Amino acid sequence: MKFEPVIGLEIHVELLTNTKIFCGCSTTFGAEPNSQTCPVCLGLPGSRPVLNKRAVEFAIRAALALNCNIVDYTTFDRKNYFYADLPKGYQISQYFYPTGTNGYVDINVNGETKRIRIHQLHLEEDTGKLLHVGDILASPYSRVDFNRAGVPLVEIVTEPDIKNSEEARLFLQKLRTILLYTGISDCKMEEGSMRCDANISIMPKGSKTFGNKTELKNMNSFRSVQRGIEYEITRQSKILKSNQEVIPETRHWNESKGSTTAMRSKYLASDYRCFPDPNVIPLETDKDWIDQIREALPELPDEKQARFVKEYGLPEYDAEVLTSTKELADFYDETVTLFNEPKTVSNWFMGELMGLLNNEKVEITQCKVTPQNLANLLQLIDKGTISGKIAKNVFEEMFKDGKDPQAIVEEKGLIQISDTAELEKVVEEVVEANPGPVEDFKGGKKKALGFLVGQVMKTTKGKANPQMVNKILGDKLK
Amino acid sequence: MKYFGLKVHEAHKLIKDREISSEQLTKSIMDRIEDVEGIVHGYVTVTKEYALKKAREMDKKIAEGEEPGPLSGIPCAIKDNICTKDILTTCSSKILKNFKPPYSATVYQKLEEQGCIMIGKTNMDEFAMGSSTENSGFFTTRNPWDPARVPGGSSGGSSAVVAADEALFALGSDTGGSIRQPASFCGVVGFKPTYGRVSRYGLIAFASSLDQIGPITKDVRDCALILNAICGHDPMDSTSVSADVPDFTRFVDKDIKGIKLGVPKEYYTMQIDDSVKKETGEAVTNLANIGAEKVELEMPYTAYALPAYYLINPAEASSNLARYDGIRYGFTYEDAENLLEAYKKTRSSGFGPEVKRRIMLGTYALSSGYYEDYYLKAQKVRSLIARDFDQAFKNCDVIVTPTAPTVSFRTGEKIDDPLMMYLNDIFTVPVSMAGLPAVSIPCGFVNGLPVGLQIIGKPFDEGTIIKVASAFERMLALDKVKPLFGSYVRGGA
């Protein structure tokens, strides 16, 4: 029997506000445990939450970027449950009226656009973090760090539109790109500012009835999301093939073992007894305010990509790569403004610039090359001052120390030799020194010309204008 | 000299005229506590050294020329659910018996800034759940008028120590009558301001949509003074309101000619003692005699207030009390095998029976499948009750009712019958559900026990309540009548 997976994702994203959602504590990552806490985020008796307007603004911004409808009246509700990382015994969340509903994200699956629907986006507070000695199941005790408690989060819930682990990865990447564009989060999976849980079920191909689902947690990278989903699909297929039933439960992804283990059953589902928190007054989101936030949204990846194709005449592939981060796209835009040959610029980006960034593990924001310098370099090639080959070496220098290309070219004497008399002299020497290849060429072996050109380039340390060398050599050996 | 019997405004005059020092006043209170606390049991904690130190500091400031404000050097008592930095704040619960908050409630900060001297934290029903202070996790407070009887609750400690002259005034908190009912039982003035008038930051939550802090004082002028000190918007409490705060003493000793007194017939036909009905009826007549105009009212939803209250209140409480899990502060059951057992054992042994009852009720009312039928329906009833009041206030300026259906009852009399106990709040709860301000002032005696009159006002119109209460007080001068400790207390009354 063939099976068809049904996958929905729940993504938690920490917002980049300076302070927490209900108090003035800092949200900076990596501080000494429990150093960023106060009576409010510790849930001390008598403390009261006061809503951070910026967090609401960020949630609206994210929801707009995901094409959601924005709620005009909302409450902040208590989700009651007991856990050691939850200082008040409840989490404040938008249970009844999420900020955004009915949105979507389009992804590119093998050249086809596929729409993944967003069920909702809601704002809530993060919990504290339990720290364990070694593995969670083997640790003799837990310690709690409340620095994270009260950091604002948005939870984004997709519809079960994802069919396999690859689509899940593409969706997450696209979502991350969009959210990074909006600036509401740094979306670092390794620091936990972006976290993904996956609801996975499988059903016989073509079936309309969903199978029992499991919820997979603790996947800390795109790769582990992909691996976790694959593992779970295989596990569930085996169960169904043996005529057993998949137990609805929450499962824990173990990265080092590459497998999932059961955490808790969904048959004993918690009743969260949600009700509006009487300490937080209901919020009416003013239409003008939403419009302001909408207008302040940056150009988002899909729009930008479309513009790159239309305005710059770039292939879809180039446009997609160049818009993969806002910073890269901005860098590209600026370079093209200074050197108006979009495809040439794109080739340099996708070849040289991104290659070096990847190899040296440097972010575009830390790159020492400026759009102006890159444009200058391309102009030097265009004017024939240096060859394309030399330019690549110059670019490496620029990347290393951020110098202007003109200065590097002058300093190292890399200006292309286009003086006919000078080149003829070198050609003369090469012809004399290589009688064998010269004979070969004259005898019809066209390949030998390439060798002779190479010798000229070698003698001139690559500075000779290759087109001219070709011509002079050709004339000479006629 | 015995200064403990002074009112706040009397003591202020003496301090201002440099006739007494805050230290003398505070010492006098300490002596009084020594004499009568063995009978009253009003305090969970007496902060003697702290108070004397603060009093001496105040005296020094005054000696150096600082002009004393109305509350400078005045000793007061604070209900033990109001956080006081580094000083035990227990809610009279075993689960918080060792809890010293690292911060102070906004109200306490305000009193401290204005020079008040805290002399102790007062006993209460555990987490403010109760009407007799018998639900304290520690001990039962006695009524100074008859130590065999309860002081009311939950602010029973605060009311009793003010009635017994163990503090010049006290702060209490009122969720469904917890200031007004004990004030009524102890023959003192107890004021619940409009919801949002006083910051709740630092008030340990019971039922957040109902809780409100207010003063318990020896007369109406003192009440106005304390309201002046504690009202106002607080950025730390989103539900606190930024309405203008008038000088409430301006409403004291004013004519009430033409004031319309609403008298809702429902409050006099419900389960109420005849003697209490008679006393409050006379109070209305007395007020009419000095110029107020009586208006008969109908408030048909009154009877539904109590049942709706006993859904909303436990629902919020069940959630508010979830944080007492023994993990971070307070009592911890040490020998648990795992997290779940730690929760169960800590909470089972830390909470008393009434608290557990409310947690059970509230958890049930919020549970999936019951939420719509119980919690949401109760909220709808709540808005109908508020509408009752809105309608009523179109025809009157204040509404006058008994505060409680009976006078103080004997210790032990109702403790085994929760429903009987809940009926104590039958006249105070509707006001709380509507978030309105109301005072209880003494209006007479039944068999030597005080009866309280409840005066309810429009939202944020505490001033008119003060005006009517003050006029009434001046007429009968019941503030001069004190419990007779003389026969059994060293030092006398």
Side-chain angles (χ1 to χ4, degrees):
Chain A
M1 199 193 300
K2 283 247 175 197
F3 292 109
E4 181 180 338
V6 179
I7 301 161
L9 301 179
E10 294 173 12
I11 302 101
H12 286 88
V13 177
E14 282 185 359
L15 301 181
L16 269 181
T17 52
N18 295 326
T19 56
K20 294 185 179 180
I21 185 168
F22 294 120
C23 64
C25 288
S26 166
T27 53
T28 312
F29 179 79
E32 183 78 8
N34 296 308
S35 63
Q36 294 174 170
T37 56
C38 75
V40 176
C41 55
L42 288 175
L44 290 187
S47 62
R48 298 281 183 283
V50 177
L51 184 62
N52 180 343
K53 187 179 176 188
R54 193 100 172 124
V56 179
E57 185 192 324
F58 277 19
I60 293 174
R61 200 194 290 178
L64 287 171
L66 302 179
N67 307 298
C68 289
N69 299 328
I70 307 298
V71 76
D72 53 4
Y73 168 93
T74 184
T75 53
F76 288 84
D77 313 306
R78 295 185 182 181
K79 185 176 166 183
N80 294 286
Y81 65 96
F82 287 94
Y83 203 55
D85 63 7
L86 192 66
K88 297 186 293 293
Y90 55 83
Q91 179 192 30
I92 305 178
S93 176
Q94 287 179 304
Y95 178 79
F96 294 106
Y97 309 98
T99 293
T101 48
N102 291 324
Y104 63 85
V105 169
D106 286 335
I107 58 172
N108 181 347
V109 185
N110 302 322
E112 302 273 318
T113 298
K114 174 165 181 179
R115 180 156 291 186
I116 307 294
R117 290 169 302 154
I118 304 293
H119 178 71
Q120 71 175 61
L121 176 150
H122 63 263
L123 181 59
E124 62 187 21
E125 57 178 343
D126 208 344
T127 63
K129 196 175 175 183
L130 295 186
L131 302 171
H132 297 97
V133 186
D135 186 75
I136 182 169
L137 297 171
S139 178
Y141 55 83
S142 307
R143 285 194 169 150
V144 198
D145 177 6
F146 288 106
N147 283 350
R148 206 180 69 178
V151 168
L153 288 179
V154 288
E155 181 176 344
I156 298 157
V157 183
T158 75
E159 298 289 353
D161 291 347
I162 296 165
K163 291 287 165 244
N164 55 51
S165 66
E166 175 62 9
E167 286 184 15
R169 184 184 64 81
L170 288 169
F171 170 78
L172 281 177
Q173 252 163 10
K174 185 67 177 286
L175 178 70
R176 181 170 181 271
T177 303
I178 295 170
L179 295 178
L180 286 173
Y181 264 64
T182 65
I184 60 128
S185 175
D186 59 14
C187 295
K188 291 182 178 165
M189 281 195 90
E190 67 283 7
E191 287 181 7
S193 62
M194 184 174 187
R195 306 193 283 274
C196 177
D197 301 334
N199 286 297
I200 305 158
S201 68
I202 59 171
M203 57 184 180
K205 210 166 179 67
S207 168
K208 297 252 181 290
T209 325
F210 291 170
N212 284 348
K213 70 179 180 186
T214 57
E215 184 181 355
L216 197 53
K217 288 184 177 288
N218 193 45
M219 297 169 292
N220 299 319
S221 65
F222 288 166
R223 181 154 163 70
S224 53
V225 171
Q226 220 177 339
R227 288 176 67 202
I229 290 174
E230 273 158 22
Y231 180 89
E232 201 46 32
I233 292 171
T234 312
R235 191 186 70 87
Q236 291 186 13
S237 308
K238 281 184 185 161
I239 292 172
L240 291 191
K241 277 178 190 155
S242 67
N243 284 326
Q244 309 256 312
E245 199 174 69
V246 172
I247 302 167
E249 62 192 354
T250 303
R251 298 183 68 85
H252 185 90
W253 167 249
N254 187 316
E255 179 70 32
S256 55
K257 288 186 187 147
S259 62
T260 65
T261 40
M263 279 178 84
R264 53 181 178 267
S265 167
K266 294 241 176 207
Y267 286 132
L268 300 166
S270 309
D271 179 354
Y272 292 117
R273 307 185 306 281
C274 294
F275 73 105
D277 189 331
N279 288 322
V280 189
I281 42 180
L283 184 75
E284 282 180 36
T285 38
D286 180 39
K287 198 181 163 296
D288 291 344
W289 188 43
I290 296 171
D291 287 343
Q292 270 173 36
I293 299 171
R294 194 195 310 271
E295 272 157 36
L297 273 180
E299 187 183 31
L300 293 169
D302 285 349
E303 300 168 62
K304 212 183 263 291
Q305 194 179 324
R307 175 169 66 83
F308 279 16
V309 171
K310 189 159 173 274
E311 197 175 299
Y312 297 145
L314 293 180
E316 284 285 351
Y317 176 74
D318 288 34
E320 190 179 346
V321 173
L322 291 173
T323 54
S324 62
T325 73
K326 183 171 181 296
E327 290 75 15
L328 191 69
D330 288 348
F331 199 117
Y332 175 81
D333 257 335
E334 214 180 320
T335 312
V336 171
T337 318
L338 298 164
F339 184 78
N340 196 12
E341 284 187 32
K343 180 58 185 160
T344 311
V345 176
S346 171
N347 289 345
W348 269 83
F349 261 68
M350 313 223 325
E352 305 313 310
L353 178 60
M354 292 178 72
L356 279 175
L357 289 172
N358 279 341
N359 286 343
E360 305 294 319
K361 305 219 181 319
V362 176
E363 296 290 326
I364 182 81
T365 46
Q366 267 103 52
C367 182
K368 287 182 181 157
V369 179
T370 62
Q372 181 68 63
N373 285 350
L374 179 54
N376 289 350
L377 179 71
L378 298 177
Q379 255 141 22
L380 289 177
I381 305 168
D382 199 43
K383 283 190 294 189
T385 312
I386 55 173
S387 68
K389 193 162 185 275
I390 292 276
K392 289 181 183 178
N393 299 335
V394 173
F395 186 72
E396 278 175 31
E397 294 279 317
M398 290 161 64
F399 192 86
K400 229 183 283 165
D401 45 27
K403 273 195 199 150
D404 179 75
Q406 185 72 39
I408 297 172
V409 166
E410 282 168 14
E411 199 179 291
K412 303 220 161 176
L414 297 174
I415 295 172
Q416 186 163 261
I417 303 166
S418 303
D419 177 348
T420 315
E422 200 181 339
L423 286 177
E424 276 177 349
K425 215 175 117 202
V426 181
V427 168
E428 196 79 32
E429 284 167 27
V430 169
V431 168
E432 266 171 38
N434 297 284
V438 169
E439 281 312 307
D440 288 350
F441 178 76
K442 286 183 172 160
K445 285 191 179 168
K446 299 289 173 204
K447 266 190 183 170
L449 186 69
F451 172 79
L452 294 168
V453 172
Q455 291 303 305
V456 176
M457 296 310 283
K458 195 177 167 191
T459 315
T460 58
K461 301 201 173 75
K463 290 187 285 182
N465 181 327
Q467 285 88 29
M468 289 180 72
V469 173
N470 258 320
K471 188 168 181 299
I472 293 168
L473 252 177
D475 290 348
K476 193 150 191 91
L477 300 179
K478 255 182 202 158
Chain B
M1 272 291 281
K2 290 169 184 163
Y3 302 115
F4 56 76
L6 293 171
K7 295 172 177 176
V8 173
H9 58 90
E10 294 167 348
H12 168 63
K13 188 165 185 309
L14 295 175
I15 289 173
K16 190 169 157 21
D17 296 344
R18 314 292 199 269
E19 286 187 29
I20 60 168
S21 67
S22 175
E23 187 179 5
Q24 283 173 303
L25 184 57
T26 305
K27 276 186 169 160
S28 172
I29 288 287
M30 291 300 166
D31 291 344
R32 177 66 171 177
I33 289 173
E34 204 150 287
D35 288 342
V36 305
E37 183 60 6
I39 297 161
V40 178
H41 303 290
Y43 284 104
V44 173
T45 306
V46 175
T47 51
K48 187 174 179 180
E49 295 313 314
Y50 174 82
L52 288 170
K53 182 171 154 277
K54 287 268 177 184
R56 283 191 286 265
E57 280 169 18
M58 178 52 67
D59 288 335
K60 188 160 170 279
K61 279 189 202 164
I62 294 171
E64 284 165 3
E66 189 179 305
E67 192 52 33
L71 300 183
S72 297
I74 303 293
C76 68
I78 306 289
K79 189 176 180 180
D80 215 16
N81 60 351
I82 295 173
C83 285
T84 44
K85 187 170 190 273
D86 300 331
I87 291 166
L88 277 180
T89 300
T90 68
C91 279
S92 290
S93 179
K94 288 195 179 84
I95 213 156
L96 283 178
K97 64 177 181 184
N98 57 1
F99 179 63
K100 290 184 179 174
Y103 75 106
S104 283
T106 301
V107 275
Y108 180 59
Q109 269 180 36
K110 285 187 166 195
L111 290 182
E112 239 189 344
E113 279 160 19
Q114 291 170 69
C116 278
I117 311 296
M118 180 177 65
I119 45 181
K121 304 293 295 285
T122 56
N123 196 25
M124 53 190 278
D125 288 296
E126 184 178 6
F127 282 101
M129 298 175 188
S131 307
S132 66
T133 318
E134 291 166 287
N135 291 333
S136 166
F138 307 138
F139 49 82
T140 300
T141 298
R142 307 292 170 153
N143 192 322
W145 294 87
D146 177 355
R149 290 174 186 268
V150 302
S154 68
S155 307
S158 285
S159 299
V161 299
V162 172
D165 288 329
E166 295 180 83
L168 268 65
F169 77 93
L171 287 188
S173 71
D174 190 314
T175 303
S178 277
I179 287 175
R180 291 161 286 163
Q181 184 259 14
S184 162
F185 279 19
C186 291
V188 290
V189 177
F191 204 115
K192 181 199 100 72
T194 313
Y195 185 77
R197 225 353 159 181
V198 178
S199 166
R200 291 182 297 120
Y201 189 75
L203 169 67
I204 298 183
F206 163 17
S208 309
S209 71
L210 297 153
D211 296 341
Q212 187 64 171
I213 295 171
I216 294 167
T217 58
K218 296 181 185 180
D219 74 359
V220 175
R221 180 179 290 278
D222 280 5
C223 183
L225 279 172
I226 308 309
L227 285 176
N228 280 352
I230 62 173
C231 289
H233 176 250
D234 177 8
M236 299 297 279
D237 174 3
S238 333
T239 61
S240 80
V241 174
S242 48
D244 278 347
V245 182
D247 174 3
F248 292 110
T249 60
R250 284 198 295 108
F251 297 93
V252 177
D253 287 342
K254 288 286 188 292
D255 194 5
I256 60 160
K257 205 160 283 171
I259 289 260
K260 287 183 183 163
L261 284 189
V263 181
K265 66 172 201 245
E266 286 80 3
Y267 283 72
Y268 296 86
T269 52
M270 286 195 282
Q271 204 165 7
I272 175 173
D273 275 12
D274 285 344
S275 49
V276 170
K277 194 157 137 185
K278 183 170 159 285
E279 288 296 324
T280 41
E282 277 174 18
V284 172
T285 309
N286 281 323
L287 282 166
N289 287 341
I290 55 169
E293 199 182 301
K294 189 177 156 183
V295 181
E296 297 262 354
L297 297 174
E298 280 188 21
M299 301 184 71
Y301 288 104
T302 304
Y304 302 104
L306 200 72
Y309 173 85
Y310 274 98
L311 288 167
I312 292 169
N313 162 313
E316 293 183 8
S318 71
S319 171
N320 281 331
L321 270 61
R323 68 190 64 192
Y324 307 108
D325 58 9
I327 303 279
R328 296 166 305 281
Y329 47 79
F331 167 75
T332 305
Y333 185 88
E334 297 284 353
D335 297 323
E337 286 290 317
N338 53 47
L339 187 63
L340 187 61
E341 193 189 318
Y343 287 155
K344 286 182 173 174
K345 294 264 170 81
T346 296
R347 289 167 68 81
S348 296
S349 43
F351 288 137
E354 182 61 25
V355 173
K356 288 178 191 165
R357 184 177 297 123
R358 305 250 184 146
I359 291 174
M360 295 289 285
L361 281 171
T363 304
Y364 186 81
L366 288 175
S367 294
S368 127
Y370 300 99
Y371 177 79
E372 288 79 9
D373 287 349
Y374 291 111
Y375 184 77
L376 272 192
K377 191 157 280 180
Q379 290 290 11
K380 285 178 189 156
V381 172
R382 186 176 186 174
S383 41
L384 290 174
I385 291 161
R387 211 169 67 186
D388 253 4
F389 278 105
D390 282 350
Q391 290 295 329
F393 278 122
K394 285 182 181 157
N395 302 311
C396 64
D397 301 306
V398 292
I399 295 171
V400 184
T401 76
T403 304
T406 67
V407 291
S408 169
F409 46 88
R410 289 182 185 281
T411 304
E413 198 179 317
K414 297 186 180 177
I415 193 69
D416 296 325
D417 188 345
L419 287 181
M420 278 299 287
M421 195 66 99
Y422 295 168
L423 284 172
N424 268 287
D425 297 332
I426 195 160
F427 302 138
T428 46
V429 151
V431 183
S432 299
M433 294 283 269
L436 298 171
V439 74
S440 174
I441 55 164
C443 70
F445 291 88
V446 171
N447 299 327
L449 297 168
V451 178
L453 180 72
Q454 178 173 237
I455 307 170
I456 307 159
K458 297 173 186 172
F460 301 101
D461 190 18
E462 287 85 356
T464 305
I465 298 176
I466 300 260
K467 202 171 180 179
V468 176
S470 166
F472 183 81
E473 180 183 79
R474 198 177 46 201
M475 184 168 34
L476 294 189
L478 294 179
D479 56 312
K480 309 284 191 298
V481 186
K482 294 204 172 190
L484 294 171
F485 276 110
S487 52
Y488 46 84
V489 175
R490 184 167 60 96

